[in-house]
Structure formats: structure tokens, C-alpha cells
Amino acid sequence: MKRAYDWIDERLNVTPLWRDVADHDVPAHVNPAIKMSAFIYCFGGLTFLVIVTQILSGMFLAMYYTPDITNAWYSVKYITDQVLLGQVVRGMHFWGASLVIVMMFLHMLRVFFTGAYKKPRELNWVVGVLIFFVVLAFGFTGYLLPWDQKAYWATSVGSKIAGSIPGIGPYLQTLLVGSHTVGALTLARFFAIHVFFLPAALLVLLALHFIMIRTQHIAGPL
């Protein structure tokens, strides 16, 4: 393995690249190995870890999922019952969708109560809030994909709530649903939003988040 790494490093000079990204000292006040109370600073990293797990498990599920109202439910059942480790990966994706919201909420509570959102990190706080809304949108759009009764009625109620927003509500509801009722066009749009638009937005926002963390460094203790 080392010989292979040295061969690649000799030609592409990758060592300075990964050292610039990942090889940094952890400040004492955010290092749980020094004091356990520093664990509250780990919620951001744990959130990112769950997001990576969601991306990988979602890529696995997308290989078998069929986004049309005739086959969607059967494709999910096929994943659960017949695909090797399909039930495990689907379970990881299902529970990970809730866990990432919990981890992110705890991370935002830590940032708020330690004052880490204050100058000069206001813009990073705004980006973090946008990431939170994108994660919520992941949950909303992904909930419909199994195309069962629970998903159908939950999406119907959710789209009506979106339609009740003053001003943009009717336009937003039409954009999401695609017609007057939840149907084939809705499922196709939710799938496209879930696997293309939201991941693109999330990756851009995460890149901005990490660049600002590198620039401004981790906030100090209270």
C-alpha cells in the first residue's frame, strides 16, 4: 500500500494537498481527549459524518429505485427483501435522515449558546441555517419516494402547507406538485430535487462552510 501511495505521490504530489486540508492541530477547548465537555464541539463533525453516510447509502439505493408511481413501491420492497444488505442500507438511510437533523440541531444550539455566530462569523451562521433548511428539504422530498399511503398523504398535507405561504405559496405548491394533486409528476420532481438539486446545493454550502471555518478558525471558549 505504501509503495502504491509513494508511486502516486511522486507523480501527483498529493501529500501537501491532504495535509493542507486535514493535518491541523485540534485546539484544546474542542478536544474531547483533553476534557469531556469539549464533546459538544463534535456535533458539527458528527453531522458531516452522517451526511457522508446518507450520500453513500443514497447512491446505493438509487441503483435499484425506480421513480415512477407504478414501480416505486415495488422497487423499495425489492431493495428491502431481495437486495444483499438492502434492508440494512435502507435502514441506515431512513434513520440517518432523522439523526442528521438531530445532530445539526444540537450543533446549532452549541453555536448559539457559545456565541460562535457573532462577528466575524455571522455569514457562516447564515450558511449553516441554509444547510439546515436544505437538510429539512431532503427529509421532505425523500419521504414521498417509497410511494406508500403514509408518504402520499404526508406529502399532500405538506404541499398544502407550502401553498398557504402568503404570496409565493401557490407558485411553490405548483412547482413541487406539478399539477393539482400529488401524482406521477410530483414523484418525478421530488426524486429529481432529492438526488440532483439538493445535493448540489448542499455541497456548495458545505464548501463555503468549511472555507469560512478555515479562514476564521474555530471559535474560542466562552
Side-chain angles (χ1 to χ4, degrees), residues 8 10 45 54 64 82 107 111 127 144 153 163 169 174 176 180 212-213 217:
I8 295 173
E10 184 179 353
Q54 289 298 95
Y64 299 96
Q82 300 189 44
H107 177 56
V111 171
V127 170
L144 180 66
W153 292 112
T174 302
L176 290 173
H180 298 294
M212 282 189 275
I213 291 175
H217 308 293

Side-chain angles (χ1 to χ4, degrees), residues 30-191:
V30 301
N31 191 346
I34 297 177
K35 57 179 181 179
M36 280 304 297
S37 61
F39 184 76
I40 62 171
Y41 286 88
C42 297
F43 290 133
L46 291 173
T47 302
F48 180 68
L49 179 63
V50 179
I51 288 175
V52 172
T53 304
Q54 289 298 95
I55 292 173
L56 296 177
S57 59
M59 292 168 65
F60 176 87
L61 296 176
M63 291 192 299
Y64 299 96
Y65 179 73
T66 305
D68 67 70
I69 59 175
T70 304
N71 298 300
W73 187 85
Y74 291 104
S75 65
V76 173
K77 183 173 173 53
Y78 176 76
I79 293 170
T80 305
D81 295 340
Q82 300 189 44
V83 174
L84 180 63
L85 298 178
Q87 187 174 15
V88 175
V89 177
R90 190 188 169 213
M92 290 172 56
H93 200 73
F94 177 83
W95 291 109
S98 300
L99 184 61
V100 70
I101 293 175
V102 173
M103 286 291 113
M104 193 160 188
F105 187 69
L106 292 174
H107 177 56
M108 294 179 74
L109 284 179
R110 197 279 301 166
V111 171
F112 181 79
F113 284 110
T114 58
Y117 61 89
K118 297 178 182 177
K119 184 181 180 180
R121 300 181 176 83
E122 304 97 321
L123 186 58
N124 209 2
W125 169 258
V126 172
V127 170
V129 172
L130 292 176
I131 293 174
F132 184 67
F133 284 120
V134 169
V135 169
L136 292 179
F138 266 114
F140 180 61
T141 54
Y143 201 80
L144 180 66
L145 301 187
W147 195 249
D148 53 16
Q149 285 290 319
K150 185 171 62 175
Y152 177 86
W153 292 112
T155 303
S156 297
V157 173
S159 62
K160 289 180 180 177
I161 293 174
S164 66
I165 298 174
I168 64 171
Y171 302 102
L172 182 60
Q173 184 177 12
T174 302
L175 176 65
L176 290 173
V177 177
S179 63
H180 298 294
T181 58
V182 174
L185 193 54
T186 311
L187 182 61
R189 290 193 177 191
F190 272 45
F191 178 73

